[in-house]
Every structure is written in structure tokens, then in C-alpha cells.
Amino acid sequence: MGFAGLLLLASPATRAASAAPERAVVQIFNFSQQPVWDAPWRWQPVRREGGSGFVIRTSRGLRVMSNAHVVSWSRQVLVRRFQDPRPFQAEVEFPGHDCDLAVLRVLDESFFEGIEPLAFGELPEVRSTVVTYGYPAGGEQISYTRGVVSRIELQNYVHIGNRSLLAVQTDAAINPGNSGGPVIQDGLVVGVSFQGIPGLENAGFFIPPEVISHFLEDIEDGTYHGFPAVGIRLVGLQNPAYRRHLGLPPGGELGARIDSIANIETTRALLRLDDVLLEAGGFPVASDGTIEYRGNRVAAALAFQSAQHGERVPMKLFRDRREVSLEVPVFVFTADRAAGNQHDVPPRYYVHGGLIFTPLSQNYIRTFGREISESSVGELVYELFYRRHEQPETVRPEPVALAGLLTHPVNANFSVRGRALVDKINGIRIETLDDAIRAIEGARGGQHVFEFAGRQGFECLDRAEAAEANATILQTYGVPSDRRL
């Protein structure tokens, strides 16, 4: 279903109830705890963070909507009503980390007594006025800020880090604590506040109704899948000579060239490199790879994001000097998940002989801080972010890093101390963490031989000594188990 069919319309009664929308705005306290990514059995101290939310009506009853980043890694969530000092316990029912939205269930239904849920409006127009509601830092009571819609386009969603969805920019102040609060226009919710850009003044962003309604429709069956992707990269096709080379009619302004196709079987079966995309999801595609959506010029990716996981998107192509019409199924792309920020699932790991193995991820690389320019780190960065595009045939499903070393006499002469990409163990190419475990536990030789990518070379451990020392090493360093899978 396209965006236009997803809008949650407000009844006249709800519009009247929304005359005082602040009564449905909720203050959220999240007590969160994140793992230590380079010592993955450990956890950081519990942190108390604040945010905002608002009451909505769903098919499951009244719920609180907020941002996923407000309630991620949660140990406990407390919510508080407008001008009511009592905290109520809540739980995260549906987190959508790619779109930074979440639905919360309040355990005590009396929380909702006397609250009229807010209804949703449509995408506000550029230059129109909106008001943000929330509980930003600097005070305990609700705050209101008025601003103007200044831009609408696809933006990177910082919470996940490697996805761009439709977003609305406003000059209304959106500060820490505003996140998850409603953005109101004419008594209706036209967005959810979610992020700013450090260093830019008067530039806050909110999630528009298109993304919100896609999320709410997705969770109707009790499972959140996410926003699908077709897996193509478009480049502009504005060079008249190149357009003639491809056989496009002269004077045309439509069509962007498909420059690369991700390793998605269904997409590769239907699309080809150098296909010219003329239309997607009913939207004409301009020669710069954009479409016009409600008066806004946005990236053509939006035409594919309006579909749900598994749905088909109609396309019109120019191929072999003639137009071709087809439908491409789109799915949520998860193969690059480790290149984005991960949430709510603790990292996998395996410890043997003091060597700490964990899947390579953005979260793990971030632990390097300013040392990210080291040559060995460059191997990890290339593996995680660039190999997929430059050498897709050699991509490992779950690259494994040697995260560190728990020192013990058995590994005293082991020169590689961590931050190294594991290439092979005992001659077996390591595609996943499970491969590393099988390579070590299935070995029969006298030594384990570890080969690392790049200039890290190789190293050895005595197999019998490592096995004998493992329990002592785990006990010495307080590691509760040799693995989390």
C-alpha cells in the first residue's frame, strides 16, 4: 500500500479533543544499560535518560508512541502523565529501530483514564507553522516551541545510522528530551520529534506521518519487519551524449541509470546494470534520480519505501532502446545490519585460550575512539563498510574480529593483541562466529593456527594448553560463559 492510503484520519470528535493536546503528551524515563562491545560479556552502568511520547489509539488499545532511541537498551521504562507526579511502569511493545519509532504498553490501564488519544494529520507544507510538545532538558514541566517547516527530504536516521527515510526539518527547537514528542498542526499530529544536527542552529527534524503510518501498519500483524529496500544505486543521467549512447529520445528529462545492484536475488533477477529507471511506484523519476512528492523534490528511494516488506513496486525502465514495465518485490535488507547501530540485542562472542572473538560491527569499531586511523583498523573498516560494494563476491556474512586478549601464560607470546580481522583458523576461512568455534573445537593438530587479514600475519596457540587454561582464564577475568551465541 502506498503512503497516500496509510494516513490515519482524525474524526471531528478527536479534533475537538485535540484542542488541548498537551494532556496526551507523556514524559518518559528510561533506565538503560548497554553492553561493552570490546568485552561483550560486560555491561555499562545503568543510565537514566528522559524523553517524550504521546497517547495514540491502536487496534490493541491505547498505547504510547515515542522514539526507539528513547527506550532502547531498556531495563525499566517509567511514564508520567501531564501534570501528574505519579510514575507508571511501561514496556516496549514494538521497537522500530530503522525508523526510530516505538510503541509502548503501559501496564496499568488506569494510566489512560481521562486522556483522549491524539490523531494524525498529513504531511505539513513547507513554510507552514508547527508546534512541538515535549519534556526537554532544562526543566520538569512540558515545553512548547513554535517553528516553521523549512525542508522536506530523505535524511539519515542517526539512531540506526545507515538508513535514510523521509524527514521534515523545522526551526522549532528540538532539544534532548523532546525526542518522541508530537509535532502538532491544527490539533493533529504531523510528526514525531527525533533528532538535530550538532553545530547547526535552528535545525531540528521530525518523523512525518508517512513513516509513522508505515510503522503502525507494519505492526498490525504483531511483528515489525521494517522498511524494505530494492537494493539499487541510481546515478544522474544528465549528460546528453550519454543519454544518446543509451538510445534515450532527445530532450527528455526523465530517467536515472542503475549503477549498482545489491546482492538481493529477486532484484538481480529482474533488473540490470545500465537500466534507466523512468518511473517507480507511479512516480516519474527525474534525470537526477529524484521524484516529486507532494511538491517536494526527494530521492527516488522514497517510491520503494512506501511498500511493506514483501510487496511489489511497479517500475518502468528503458532497456535495450525500449520501455519495459515490471514489478519488483521489495524486502527488508538485513545483510548490512552490522554496519549500522545495533540495539537491544547483546553482542555474540566466544572466548578460547584468552582470545576474545566477536562479530565485526559498527558498535565494536566505535570503541576505538580516535585510534580509528591505525592501519589494522583500516582492514576492519574496509571489511565492514566497503567490501560489500567493491568486492561483493568476497563478502563474509558475519566477519569476525579478535576483540582482545585476556592475558595468561598460555598466550604470553601471542603478538596480535586485538582489533584484527580473523581470516582463517586452522586453515578454515572464517565467515561467521560459528565457523570460528567449529574451527577451534574441531581441531586435532598440536597447535591452533590463526591467520589475520592485512599485515597482522598469523599466530599460534598450543591446542592442549589453551583448552586446559580456558576455565581458569574465564574465572580470573569474571567471564560468566565462554560464549554468547
Side-chain angles (χ1 to χ4, degrees), residues 142-261:
I142 194 168
S143 170
Y144 315 87
T145 59
R146 185 179 299 274
V148 173
V149 173
S150 49
R151 182 156 50 191
I152 299 173
E153 62 183 357
L154 268 67
Q155 288 280 347
N156 176 258
Y157 275 40
V158 175
H159 178 59
I160 190 74
N162 62 347
R163 290 290 183 272
S164 294
L165 301 174
L166 193 66
V168 181
Q169 182 178 335
T170 177
D171 62 357
I174 294 178
N175 296 308
N178 269 118
S179 290
V183 180
I184 304 285
Q185 185 176 74
D186 297 331
L188 300 175
V189 177
V190 295
V192 177
S193 303
F194 79 124
Q195 66 185 34
I197 297 181
L200 285 185
E201 295 182 356
N202 303 323
F205 295 87
F206 60 85
I207 301 169
E210 282 78 351
V211 177
I212 299 169
S213 56
H214 189 286
F215 169 74
L216 291 175
E217 183 185 11
D218 193 337
I219 64 176
E220 275 295 302
D221 62 358
T223 301
Y224 180 65
H225 299 90
F227 279 72
V230 69
I232 59 175
R233 183 171 64 184
L234 296 176
V235 296
L237 196 53
Q238 295 168 307
N239 183 330
Y242 202 172
R243 294 181 69 88
R244 287 195 297 273
H245 170 72
L246 294 174
L248 286 161
E253 297 178 349
L254 295 181
R257 186 174 64 84
I258 296 178
D259 184 62
S260 69
I261 303 174

Side-chain angles (χ1 to χ4, degrees), residues 351-356 404-417 460-479:
V351 177
H352 187 80
L355 278 62
I356 307 165
L405 201 62
L406 303 174
T407 57
H408 182 273
V410 74
N411 57 41
N413 296 312
F414 208 90
S415 61
V416 181
R417 314 300 289 183
C460 291
L461 277 185
D462 185 277
R463 185 173 69 86
E465 291 179 358
E468 184 177 353
N470 209 41
T472 300
I473 293 172
L474 297 177
Q475 183 178 23
T476 300
Y477 289 92
V479 184

Side-chain angles (χ1 to χ4, degrees), residues 354-403:
L355 278 62
I356 307 165
F357 300 98
T358 191
L360 179 62
S361 67
Q362 160 121 270
N363 300 72
Y364 167 65
I365 286 181
R366 193 176 294 129
T367 64
F368 303 166
R370 295 181 178 179
E371 300 173 24
I372 200 166
S373 60
E374 290 181 2
S375 58
S376 61
V377 174
E379 294 284 347
L380 298 174
V381 171
Y382 178 82
E383 185 72 24
L384 185 60
F385 298 111
Y386 300 106
R387 182 180 296 278
R388 186 176 311 284
H389 305 290
E390 298 185 4
Q391 302 181 65
E393 69 282 358
T394 64
V395 167
R396 303 168 198 257
E398 185 186 54
V400 175
L402 176 66

